[in-house]
Amino acid sequence: MTQLHAVSPLAIPAAPRVAYAHTPLADVLADDDVLAVIGLGAQPLDETRDPRAIHVALPSLDGAPAPLECWRVDGPVTHGRAGAVGWARGGGWLMACVDVAETDHADGIGQAAEVAYAALCDFLAAQPDGRHVQRIWNYFDRINEGEGDAERYKHFCSGRLRGMRDFFDAGFPAATAIGLPVATDRLTIYCLATAQAGRRIENPRQLSAWRYPRRYGRTPPSFARAMSLPAGDALAISGTAAITGHESRHTDDLAAQLAEIHANLDALLQQAHLPAGFDAAAPLKAYIRHPADAPAVAAFFARHWPHAPHVLLQGDVCRGELLVEIDGWRYA
Ligand code: 3EB
């Protein structure tokens, strides 16, 4: 029997299914419902030219090799490259990725971010399913290097906003920006977009990031705290740290930072009209600055969200005083 996969442009797509797997990369890529595979871990991915395979050099702190994060949709998925942008499309969703070498840009991370965002936004603007970016991830090394306004994260924020131009004038997507603890010289950005707008969720315990005061840099960060996908079937949760209002809390106190993140996440879920807590339908990632803190973060998950699939990764939060950040998905 012939199956028709054509999706009407007006259909509201079901959320991609995100799961962690320890399957070989080639086996995952062989499935035609796979929209993206995020290869976590310090080791580069097996050689592949498939634009769906994205390496993010965050070492696993679970005592086991980091998994592949697989995004599956109601396929089939097609994929290709357009200049600097790799893309995959299926089930009403568009994944787009840019990966630029910082050393190709004389002015460093700020210019790399500007060029990468300009290329990504130019690509997305030309796609019928690229207009509404729901979620975006940003990774680069040495994020906290440099003092004050010269910190690399702050240059990234300025370059990102320049590169976005007017593309996000209706509102920013949910996002993560995390420092890679290994030197890669690369800025890797990937996103999930579709033809319909999602619903942006801000956190009542936190000032919206784009309103942060001047002391956090010339250009405030450009992201929403979370995005409820168009069908209302999943909440994409931005990187969430121990910040209330605009201030970092509990410097040097891991347990207190985790408790603050817990309160922030509960507030975000409440704002999205979802019950508190994370169950088996909530894949999460924890980014941990100091590997020695991993056992305490593992114990925190075991105590509060024992059924939530999660990975513990070594990564640097964009504020140097913060020790841990959590992001992920919550399915309705
Ligand atoms: C914060 O709340 C913590 O620059 O895209 C979290 C999520 C953070 C996304 C970004 C930064 C970003 O300000 C840092």
Side-chain angles (χ1 to χ4, degrees), residues 138 153 160 175-177 206 212 221 223 225 238-239 241 243 318 325:
N138 307 272
Y153 173 61
R160 167 170 61 179
T176 292
Q206 301 183 297
Y212 283 172
F223 68 97
R225 296 293 174 188
S238 294
I243 295 171
C318 62
E325 183 172 305

Side-chain angles (χ1 to χ4, degrees), residues 14 16 18-19 24 36 49 75 84 127 137 146 148 167 175 180 186 189 211 221 223 255 275 289 293 332:
V18 174
R49 301 187 62 78
Q127 311 303 313
W137 292 260
F167 189 73
L180 305 171
R186 303 199 77 86
I189 303 167
R211 299 204 166 110
F223 68 97
R289 184 180 299 279
D293 286 340

Side-chain angles (χ1 to χ4, degrees), residues 6-325:
V7 174
S8 145
L10 292 177
I12 298 182
R17 299 174 294 282
V18 174
Y20 303 118
H22 286 277
T23 317
L25 177 63
D27 293 359
V28 177
L29 293 174
D31 291 343
D32 81 345
D33 65 345
V34 169
L35 188 71
V37 188
I38 318 303
L40 303 163
Q43 294 302 320
L45 291 176
D46 297 342
E47 183 62 32
T48 173
R49 301 187 62 78
D50 192 317
R52 296 174 297 168
I54 301 166
H55 179 224
V56 177
L58 296 165
S60 166
L61 297 177
D62 286 318
L68 298 174
E69 181 187 310
C70 305
W71 302 0
R72 289 176 193 271
V73 295
D74 299 326
V77 169
T78 56
H79 50 80
R81 292 187 195 273
V85 178
W87 59 268
R89 163 179 288 126
W93 294 100
L94 177 66
M95 184 285 292
C97 176
V98 274
D99 180 62
V100 299
E102 255 189 72
T103 43
D104 287 349
H105 302 282
D107 226 13
I109 186 65
Q111 193 187 13
E114 179 176 356
V115 169
Y117 265 87
L120 187 64
C121 294
D122 281 350
F123 172 78
L124 292 167
Q127 311 303 313
D129 47 5
R131 304 300 164 79
H132 295 283
V133 178
Q134 312 285 313
R135 182 65 167 93
I136 193 160
W137 292 260
N138 307 272
Y139 298 99
F140 56 99
D141 63 27
R142 296 172 291 130
I143 194 168
N144 302 125
E145 195 178 280
E147 290 298 312
D149 285 349
E151 188 184 30
R152 279 165 57 78
Y153 173 61
K154 289 163 188 153
H155 285 299
F156 165 79
C157 285
S158 295
R160 167 170 61 179
L161 192 64
R162 286 195 305 272
M164 283 177 167
R165 291 171 299 205
D166 61 354
F167 189 73
F168 289 105
D169 280 7
F172 298 119
T176 292
I178 285 285
L180 305 171
V182 296
T184 62
D185 177 48
R186 303 199 77 86
L187 168 63
T188 301
I189 303 167
Y190 57 93
C191 70
L192 177 71
T194 188
Q196 287 90 17
R199 189 164 57 93
R200 287 179 189 77
I201 311 284
E202 289 300 304
N203 194 321
R205 300 182 87 240
Q206 301 183 297
L207 186 67
S208 290
W210 66 86
R211 299 204 166 110
Y212 283 172
R214 173 65 182 87
R215 62 187 251 215
Y216 299 101
R218 288 196 180 88
T219 311
S222 310
F223 68 97
R225 296 293 174 188
M227 184 76 82
S228 176
L229 299 194
D233 52 352
L235 186 70
I237 299 168
S238 294
T240 303
I243 295 171
T244 61
H246 54 74
E247 279 175 297
S248 300
R249 304 287 176 188
H250 321 295
T251 302
D252 295 331
D253 185 340
L254 181 79
Q257 288 192 22
L258 286 167
E260 203 71 70
I261 290 171
H262 191 264
N264 279 340
L265 290 171
D266 279 351
L268 196 61
L269 292 172
Q270 186 174 36
Q271 194 72 9
H273 307 295
L274 290 166
F278 294 107
D279 60 10
L284 301 174
K285 289 204 279 285
Y287 306 94
I288 302 167
R289 184 180 299 279
H290 304 301
D293 286 340
V297 178
F300 170 84
F301 272 87
R303 177 164 174 213
H304 294 285
W305 310 313
H307 303 295
H310 60 277
V311 284
L312 307 184
L313 301 165
Q314 185 187 351
D316 295 331
V317 184
C318 62
R319 291 189 185 188
E321 68 276 15
L322 294 177
L323 301 169
V324 58
E325 183 172 305

